[in-house]
């Protein structure tokens, strides 16, 4: 054997003897020692590693870099390292095909995908990211999802049991390191020829104090020597035996060096540390006991097992000492004692509610009277509201149920005993809680509690998924809420002030105004009731919602002193009228209230209510066939492009500069619950159809007018989008249907227009959502026929000398009186230059409209006139007042003495000869 492979040299024996003297030191010194040792042995030791170890080490290093980048949320670094990892894994394909995909690789893929999904869902965190990280996040998320499809089975297996996967990986690594050291160092090493991984994982022999600091060990220092000889722990075996002296020296040396490179000694310790770190991350309330191998073998001075994880609970204050006489002063004292802990840090709110309930039970047992019981009930309800200290948080279902029950119990007590007077103006000193001839006086306001309950119900609905069954279940509680409000309304009508009655009336109105009264609607149409159950019969025989709204709102109009309650009541009343197609009442109430003048000074919830009312008013006008009124009512909301936000039905994505996180939270609290939403697609469709019926005839009438204005910018935008499409297929969305219908109407083809507006797809999306569906469809067909007739006459009047009204009636399937009425209006308004011949029932065209060439000449003259005027105005600013050719008139404009003069209709006339123009039509045909 060559000297190179010999391990029993003098230098090594000196090193081993000096290494025996090394004792365990602080963790900070291990790196320095390891560096010194590696420098000493640099020339005498070589570690030969297999290709598998090299490839896997490269993968491991890249994985460590990725995990470090994940900790600091450096997505750009993660993306760069992940691409390198994929390339390195591709190079290791031959080894992976033989050995299989390593577990640590699968673990990284699973963890990275979960981590990216968490970051993607964190919207606030994404907003705070810089541009590079946000871009890298989306790119890496797409790549990892695509990459993980090839390893779905392995990732699923890992996610089902991640702990076992980690343990198997460690065992495999230990076994691989042992086998690789056997194969590689078979001819190279003697007794000391151990691989680097196995060498680091060896347990020291001369470390008597180490077992005291380890949580679990297999035995004492004597047993550790026997475990070293065992091959099952992943130790490198030595196939070629050498002398006993060298083996003893090697054992001493390896024991001392292992102290320096000490890693975790047993698998049980690794699993324990991993579990502890996981518990710290998840912040579990209770710790589970860990199964350990050496349970029976306890080491002296070791750790004692205790059941941990439960925090120390403060002692609950005892209710009453044994033998204490229970009377009202004692109960009040105990009540104040419990109240002192309210709002303090560390107070157990659930325990406080239990104490209040126990106190109420003791009061009822000892018959201390209803006065003290009412006071305790007030505090119970207040503590239920205080259970969630955060304003944005909503009540849990069990707390919500307790709150409803407690308010009902409080109302029961108030209805049973008429001698109880409650109010905010009653001072605590003047309370009368004892049973006496005088009535009970208790400080508290039941109206405030019910208003808070109503707000909590709104928060519950805002924070529930509207498409889940849970939302439907929560919505059923609205009946209970309305029942409580009705009971409070009955109570306050007898004992409350006018201001309190107005407040509770408004609460009742807010739960009524947006609901369509189907029973009243069916009754007005003379239809029988749908079901014959007792509850439905009671409801159908009950008071109509219109009568209830009228009674409540009129009381507020007369008695309320605050503008806000009266404004909300007026808006709700208008909304309810519009919802039930009472157009004229709704319109008159809106005009008489003059709310549109100063609504911009109201608070945001009232502005949202105003926007909802205007939208409902516009939809009502559309149902009644008032197309122009409908368009005017919906114009402000739809032209802004923020209908969703203005109606309180959601937030639009904005930059952090426009709205910070705090403002976003405030706006979310203003959102309207889902069951009160107005269908935005229906709203947009009504607006676009109204704009189409107004805009298309106007465009046909003013085709050559240079000063033509747009009625609806949004409608024109949709038309331009439709024109820019390179390939026009059949319309799919609602907007495409309206654009296609507009093009057909422009040509005077009402049948095609009708087929695009009213079909199965549009019926299911829009028209079937109206209460009187068939009536709305008939109205739409009628309007399309009338406006198509007007568009046809505007477009093709220059082609005809005369046209029969009978022909027009057949073309557009309208009655002759209707056609006569439409044409007469057009002639009166000077929109159509024609006359009616009554005996022959024909329309005779005057042919006074200018030709296209004449129209262009007139437009050119107008533009030249305005150009001259602007040019001279600029010249005047530079030079001062002109003299000579132009003179300034009284109105500040310029006129040539014997040139063009602007007429009343905004065009130019020449005084002496030439052309004369009044608009673009001229009554005198001889001038053309």
């Amino acid at each position: 054997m060559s000297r190179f492979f010999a391990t029993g040299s003098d230098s090594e024996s000196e090193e081993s003897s000096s290494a025996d003297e090394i004792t365990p030191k602080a963790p900070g010194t291990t790196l320095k020692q390891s560096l010194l040792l590696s420098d000493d042995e640099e020339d005498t030791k070589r570690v030969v590693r297999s290709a598998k170890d090299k490839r896997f080490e490269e993968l491991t290093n890249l994985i460590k870099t990725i995990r470090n980048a994940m900790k600091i949320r450096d997505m750009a670094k993660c993306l760069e390292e992940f691409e390198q990892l994929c390339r390195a894994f591709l190079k290791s394909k031959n080894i992976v095909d033989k050995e299989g995909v390593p577990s640590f690789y699968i673990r990284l893929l699973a963890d990275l995908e979960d981590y990216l999904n968490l970051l993607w869902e964190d919207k606030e965190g994404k907003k705070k990211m810089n541009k590079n990280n946000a871009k890298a996040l989306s790119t890496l998320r797409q790549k990892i999802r695509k990459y993980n499809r090839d390893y779905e089975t392995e990732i699923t297996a890992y996610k089902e049991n991640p702990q076992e996967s980690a343990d198997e990986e460690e065992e495999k690594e230990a076994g691989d390191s042992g086998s690789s050291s056997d194969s590689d160092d078979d001819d190279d090493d003697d007794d000391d020829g151990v691989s680097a991984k196995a060498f680091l994982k060896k347990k020291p022999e001369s470390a008597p104090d180490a077992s005291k600091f380890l949580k679990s060990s297999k035995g004492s220092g004597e047993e550790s020597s026997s475990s070293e000889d065992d091959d099952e722990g992943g130790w490198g075996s030595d196939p070629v035996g050498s002398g006993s002296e060298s083996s003893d020296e090697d054992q001493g040396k390896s024991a001392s060096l292992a102290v320096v490179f000490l890693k975790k000694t047993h698998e049980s310790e690794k699993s324990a540390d991993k579990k502890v770190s996981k518990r710290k991350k998840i912040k579990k309330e209770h710790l589970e006991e860990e199964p350990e191998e050496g349970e029976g073998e306890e080491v002296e001075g070791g750790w004692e097992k205790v059941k941990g994880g439960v925090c120390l609970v403060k002692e609950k204050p005892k209710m009453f000492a044994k033998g204490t006489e229970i009377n009202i002063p004692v109960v009040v004292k105990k009540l104040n004692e419990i109240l002192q802990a309210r709002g303090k840090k560390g107070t157990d709110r659930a325990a406080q509610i239990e104490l209040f309930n126990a106190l109420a039970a003791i009061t009822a047992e000892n018959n201390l009277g209803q006065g003290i019981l009412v006071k305790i009930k007030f505090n119970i309800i207040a503590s239920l509201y205080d259970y969630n200290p955060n304003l944005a948080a909503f009540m849990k279902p069990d707390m919500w149920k307790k709150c409803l029950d407690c308010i009902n119990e409080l109302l029961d007590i108030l209805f049973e005993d008429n001698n109880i007077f409650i109010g905010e103006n009653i001072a605590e000193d003047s309370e009368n809680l004892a049973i006496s001839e005088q009535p009970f006086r208790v400080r508290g306001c039941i109206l405030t509690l019910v208003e808070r309950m109503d707000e909590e119900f709104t928060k519950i609905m805002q924070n529930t998924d509207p498409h889940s069954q849970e939302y439907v279940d929560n919505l059923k509680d609205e009946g209970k809420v309305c029942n409580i409000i009705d009971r409070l309304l009955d109570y306050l009508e007898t004992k409350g002030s006018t201001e309190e009655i107005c407040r509770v009336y408004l609460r009742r109105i807010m739960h009524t105004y947006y609901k369509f009264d189907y029973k009243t609607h069916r009754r007005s149409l003379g239809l029988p009731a749908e079901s014959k159950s007792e509850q439905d019969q009671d409801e159908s025989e009950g008071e109509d919602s219109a009568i209830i709204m009228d009674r409540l709102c009129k009381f507020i109009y007369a008695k309320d002193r605050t503008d806000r309650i009266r404004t909300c009541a007026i808006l709700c009343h208008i909304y309810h009228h519009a919802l039930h197609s009472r157009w004229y009442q709704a319109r008159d109430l809106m005009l008489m209230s003059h709310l549109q003048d100063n609504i911009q000074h109201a608070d945001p919830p009232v502005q949202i209510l105003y926007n909802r009312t205007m939208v409902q008013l516009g939809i009502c006008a559309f149902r009644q066939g008032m197309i122009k009124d409908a368009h005017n009512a919906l114009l402000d909301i739809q032209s802004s492009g923020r209908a969703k936000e203005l109606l309180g039905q959601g937030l639009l994505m904005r930059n952090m500069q426009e709205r910070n996180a705090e403002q976003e939270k405030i706006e979310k609290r203003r959102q309207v619950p889902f069951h009160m939403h107005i269908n935005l697609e229906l709203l947009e469709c009504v607006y676009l159809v109204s704009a189409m019926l107004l805009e298309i005839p106007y465009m046909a009438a003013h085709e050559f007018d240079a000063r033509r204005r747009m009625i609806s910018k949004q409608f024109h935008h949709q038309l331009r989008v439709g024109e820019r499409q390179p390939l026009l297929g059949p319309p799919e969305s609602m907007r495409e249907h309206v654009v296609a219908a507009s093009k057909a109407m422009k040509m005077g083809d009402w049948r095609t227009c009708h087929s695009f507006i009213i079909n199965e797809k549009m019926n299911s999306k829009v028209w079937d959502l109206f209460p009187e569906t068939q009536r709305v469809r008939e109205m739409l067909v009628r309007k399309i026929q009338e406006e198509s007739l007007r568009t046809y006459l505007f477009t093709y009047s220059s082609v005809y000398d005369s046209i029969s009204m009978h022909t027009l009636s057949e073309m557009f399937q309208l009655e002759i009186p209707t056609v006569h009425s439409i044409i007469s209006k057009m002639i009166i308004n000077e929109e159509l230059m024609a006359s009616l011949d009554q005996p022959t029932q024909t329309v005779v065209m005057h042919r006074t409209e200018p030709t296209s060439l004449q129209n262009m000449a007139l437009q050119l003259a107008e533009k030249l006139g305005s150009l001259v005027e602007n040019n001279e105005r600029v010249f005047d600013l530079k030079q001062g007042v002109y003299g000579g050719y132009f003179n300034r008139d009284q109105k500040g404009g310029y006129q040539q003495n014997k040139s063009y003069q602007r007429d009343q209709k905004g065009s130019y006339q020449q005084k002496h000869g030439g052309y004369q123009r009044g608009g673009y039509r001229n009554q005198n045909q001889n001038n053309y």
Side-chain angles (χ1 to χ4, degrees), residues 700-713:
H702 299 81
E703 187 174 1
F704 299 106
D705 191 356
R707 300 188 179 187
R708 185 180 68 193
R709 61 181 180 82
M710 286 189 291
I711 296 175
S712 169
K713 288 184 179 179

Side-chain angles (χ1 to χ4, degrees), residues 661-674:
E662 191 62 33
Q663 288 174 337
E664 192 167 341
K665 286 179 184 176
I666 293 169
E667 288 188 17
K668 280 182 180 176
R669 288 202 290 270
R670 294 177 187 147
Q671 298 302 300
V672 177
F674 182 76

Side-chain angles (χ1 to χ4, degrees), residues 430-448:
S430 61
E431 283 184 328
N432 182 25
L433 305 175
I435 301 173
S436 62
E437 294 179 358
Q438 294 180 350
F440 294 110
R441 290 170 61 83
V442 183
R443 177 179 173 80
C445 182
I446 182 68
L447 176 58
T448 307

Side-chain angles (χ1 to χ4, degrees), residues 119-177:
L119 282 184
W120 191 260
E121 291 169 5
D122 184 12
K123 294 182 180 177
E124 292 184 3
K126 276 166 62 180
K127 288 178 183 176
K128 293 176 184 176
M129 279 186 181
N130 59 32
K131 188 177 179 182
N132 291 336
N133 273 351
K135 188 176 179 182
L137 174 63
S138 60
T139 309
L140 183 56
R141 182 169 172 265
Q142 290 175 355
K143 284 193 174 186
I144 195 73
R145 288 170 69 183
K146 186 177 179 182
Y147 191 78
N148 282 5
R149 287 175 194 162
D150 300 333
Y151 305 101
E152 282 184 2
T153 53
E154 291 90 341
I155 291 172
T156 308
Y158 166 72
K159 285 184 177 178
E160 285 175 0
N161 201 341
Q163 188 60 40
E164 281 188 11
S165 303
D167 294 343
E168 286 174 9
E169 180 194 336
E170 288 170 8
E171 289 175 8
K172 188 175 179 183
E173 282 182 3
D176 290 346
S177 63

Side-chain angles (χ1 to χ4, degrees), residues 887-895:
N887 289 324
R888 184 186 291 272
D889 62 1
Q890 293 178 356
K891 296 180 181 179
Y894 297 94
Q895 294 179 349

Side-chain angles (χ1 to χ4, degrees), residues 87-217:
R87 288 194 289 269
F89 189 75
L90 198 61
K91 290 178 185 176
S92 312
K93 191 174 183 303
N94 294 332
I95 296 168
V96 171
D97 291 342
K98 292 179 185 177
E99 303 290 335
V101 183
S103 305
F104 61 82
Y105 192 72
I106 296 298
R107 186 165 64 209
L108 174 83
L109 294 179
D111 293 348
L112 185 58
E113 187 175 13
D114 294 342
Y115 174 76
L116 292 174
N117 289 335
L118 282 174
L119 282 184
W120 191 260
E121 291 169 5
D122 184 12
K123 294 182 180 177
E124 292 184 3
K126 276 166 62 180
K127 288 178 183 176
K128 293 176 184 176
M129 279 186 181
N130 59 32
K131 188 177 179 182
N132 291 336
N133 273 351
K135 188 176 179 182
L137 174 63
S138 60
T139 309
L140 183 56
R141 182 169 172 265
Q142 290 175 355
K143 284 193 174 186
I144 195 73
R145 288 170 69 183
K146 186 177 179 182
Y147 191 78
N148 282 5
R149 287 175 194 162
D150 300 333
Y151 305 101
E152 282 184 2
T153 53
E154 291 90 341
I155 291 172
T156 308
Y158 166 72
K159 285 184 177 178
E160 285 175 0
N161 201 341
Q163 188 60 40
E164 281 188 11
S165 303
D167 294 343
E168 286 174 9
E169 180 194 336
E170 288 170 8
E171 289 175 8
K172 188 175 179 183
E173 282 182 3
D176 290 346
S177 63
S179 61
S180 63
S181 65
D182 290 345
S183 58
D184 295 339
D185 301 342
D186 190 15
D187 299 327
D188 298 344
D189 293 340
D190 214 57
D191 289 338
D192 202 29
V194 199
S195 69
K197 289 184 182 177
F199 178 75
L200 291 178
K201 289 186 178 180
K202 276 194 177 183
K203 185 178 176 183
E205 185 180 6
S206 59
D209 296 329
S211 61
K212 294 181 182 179
F213 300 98
L214 298 175
K215 191 173 178 182
S216 61
S217 59

Side-chain angles (χ1 to χ4, degrees), residues 7 72 147 164 221 265 272 302 353 479 490 510 641 648 664 674 701 742 745 874 894:
T7 56
I72 59 173
Y147 191 78
E164 281 188 11
T265 53
I353 295 168
D490 296 338
M510 297 298 283
E664 192 167 341
F674 182 76
S742 303
M745 182 184 278
V874 172
Y894 297 94

Side-chain angles (χ1 to χ4, degrees), residues 27 136 212 322 337 508 516 611 626 681 763:
K212 294 181 182 179
K322 193 173 182 181
E337 184 185 330
R508 187 67 185 87
F516 187 81
N611 293 337
M626 312 284 183
E681 191 172 19
N763 286 343

